Amino acid sequence: MWPGEGKSWESLCAWFLGPRAENRDLLEELIKEAIDSHVNIRKSYDPQETDYITEDNKQSDKYKKEVEKIRRELKKILNELEKSVPFYSTRYRVSRLVDQ
C-alpha cells in the first residue's frame, strides 16, 4: 500500500489479467460476452440470409486441413510467446532494476 492512498489503487486490479492470471475468469467471461454479442448481431441482421459456411463445408477435407493449419500456426505463436520477456512479473522487473 502506498502511503496516504488507502487502497484506492485496488480498482485498477479489475483492468488487468494479473501477473499470475488472477483475473482469468473475468477475462474469459468478458471475451465470451463480446463474441456472443457479435454473433447475435450477425444472426439477427438479416434472418432470411442463408448460411455461407455450411455443415457440409465444415466436413470437407479442405476445410478440415485449413482448420488444422490454423491450430498449428496458433501453437507456433503461443510457443514463441512463451519465450518472450515476462514483463508482467514483478519479480522479473525488480531483478532488471537491481541489475542496472
Side-chain angles (χ1 to χ4, degrees):
M1 183 164 68
W2 296 304
E5 299 228 1
K7 290 190 175 185
S8 61
W9 53 268
E10 284 183 326
S11 63
L12 291 175
C13 294
W15 288 91
F16 298 95
L17 180 58
R20 297 185 45 79
E22 300 91 336
N23 274 342
R24 176 189 176 161
D25 292 342
L26 174 61
L27 183 61
E28 285 179 344
E29 175 189 331
L30 294 172
I31 290 171
K32 184 180 181 330
E33 183 179 339
I35 291 171
D36 288 347
S37 174
H38 191 72
V39 166
N40 289 335
I41 289 167
R42 284 181 175 224
K43 286 186 171 195
S44 65
Y45 178 71
D46 183 1
Q48 303 301 319
E49 192 170 1
T50 58
D51 291 341
Y52 180 79
I53 303 170
T54 65
E55 288 304 316
D56 285 343
N57 296 136
K58 293 179 183 181
Q59 296 306 315
S60 74
D61 287 339
K62 288 181 180 180
Y63 180 93
K64 289 177 181 179
K65 285 180 185 176
E66 209 59 31
V67 168
E68 281 306 309
K69 179 181 177 182
I70 292 167
R71 291 183 190 281
R72 277 193 313 274
E73 293 301 316
L74 176 60
K75 285 181 183 176
K76 286 181 189 177
I77 291 168
L78 295 176
N79 285 335
E80 289 300 314
L81 286 172
E82 280 186 42
K83 300 173 193 172
S84 66
V85 176
F87 289 114
Y88 53 83
S89 168
T90 305
R91 182 176 299 232
Y92 175 83
R93 290 191 317 264
V94 168
S95 71
R96 297 299 94 186
L97 289 172
V98 170
D99 287 347
Q100 292 183 4

